Amino acid sequence: AAAGPDQQYRLRNLRGNACMRIPCQVAKGLEYFEQALAGAQQADSPTKHKLIAEAYKELGFYYRNEGRWDLADESYALARKVISAKLSAASPDQDREEMASIQTNWAYLKGLSGSYRDGTNLVESAISVRRRLKYRQEEGISWSVCGEVYRYERRFQNAWAAYAGAEQIFQDLRNWPWLGLIYQEQAICLYQAS
């Protein structure tokens, strides 16, 4: 009850994500994500636009995992619209990173739904931003998604090159969990290509 608006927003997102991992509680997650969005829209904070964009992105993630791709696409579009309205040359790096995060998540959805060109454009833009910001782990995540979009399109050589970019980053960072995920993606790619 004593939590401020930012803390309440974070708590609602955490509860929503937790519900997505509990059998028979996934639908309850939507309620928390909608509460987080409503709280972000009512927030009196200089980072209000970022909170709203982030809330739409979380809703997009929820809908994507529920297989409601039209609603996910709409949520990601709204997230980008909100963050784009405030981006300028003077914007902090966190806003640019949030845009790259939205683009990466949206690109994955575009790959799943067969909009491959849109997906690659989104994720390549995210990679460029994250490289410029020197956010290595985040860049590696975007390379992983880029590989997935290419794999869904059955462009296996391009997928392999993207996975190799992610692999190099995660080896340099000694990030073993992400490296394990990349190896799984590469194995699937090899299997499908053969």
Side-chain angles (χ1 to χ4, degrees):
D6 285 359
Q7 290 174 317
Q8 289 178 2
Y9 166 80
R10 302 258 178 252
L11 181 60
R12 290 170 179 149
N13 271 329
L14 289 170
R15 285 180 172 164
N17 278 293
C19 286
M20 289 177 63
R21 289 159 178 80
I22 302 171
C24 302
Q25 293 294 312
V26 174
K28 179 86 172 153
L30 178 58
E31 183 181 321
Y32 289 119
F33 290 126
E34 288 174 338
Q35 288 174 4
L37 175 59
Q41 290 169 330
Q42 295 169 0
D44 183 23
S45 164
T47 61
K48 177 179 180 173
H49 68 283
K50 185 174 179 275
L51 290 178
I52 294 170
E54 205 176 279
Y56 276 124
K57 181 184 70 176
E58 292 291 333
L59 265 174
F61 182 74
Y62 173 84
Y63 287 133
R64 186 180 86 199
N65 284 292
E66 280 289 286
R68 299 166 71 182
W69 294 350
D70 55 334
L71 292 174
D73 191 69
E74 186 179 309
S75 295
Y76 289 135
L78 288 167
R80 181 175 68 176
K81 181 179 178 183
V82 169
I83 200 81
S84 293
K86 293 290 185 173
L87 275 180
S88 71
S91 293
D93 288 349
Q94 293 85 354
D95 286 1
R96 295 182 200 299
E97 166 51 28
E98 185 58 34
M99 174 63 92
S101 177
I102 291 164
Q103 290 174 315
T104 299
N105 280 278
W106 200 5
Y108 190 83
L109 174 70
K110 293 291 189 183
L112 285 173
S113 62
S115 299
Y116 307 120
R117 187 60 45 221
D118 289 341
T120 53
N121 287 340
L122 285 164
V123 76
E124 286 173 1
S125 175
I127 290 167
S128 176
V129 168
R130 288 173 159 178
R131 181 180 299 135
R132 202 169 46 249
L133 294 174
K134 296 181 177 27
Y135 287 16
R136 296 284 288 154
Q137 177 167 306
E138 291 80 3
E139 181 187 344
I141 292 168
S142 291
W143 276 116
S144 168
V145 169
C146 186
E148 292 291 87
V149 173
Y150 281 132
R151 182 174 64 81
Y152 295 146
E153 192 178 4
R154 305 188 64 74
R155 294 175 62 191
F156 299 117
Q157 288 181 329
N158 294 68
W160 190 262
Y163 294 139
E167 179 184 8
Q168 185 61 59
I169 288 170
F170 294 130
Q171 280 183 350
D172 292 348
L173 295 175
R174 301 175 151 303
N175 188 322
W176 310 129
W178 269 102
L179 198 55
L181 178 69
I182 297 302
Y183 290 154
Q184 289 176 346
E185 291 172 344
Q186 289 172 325
I188 295 167
C189 182
L190 285 175
Y191 176 77
Q192 289 182 330
S194 68

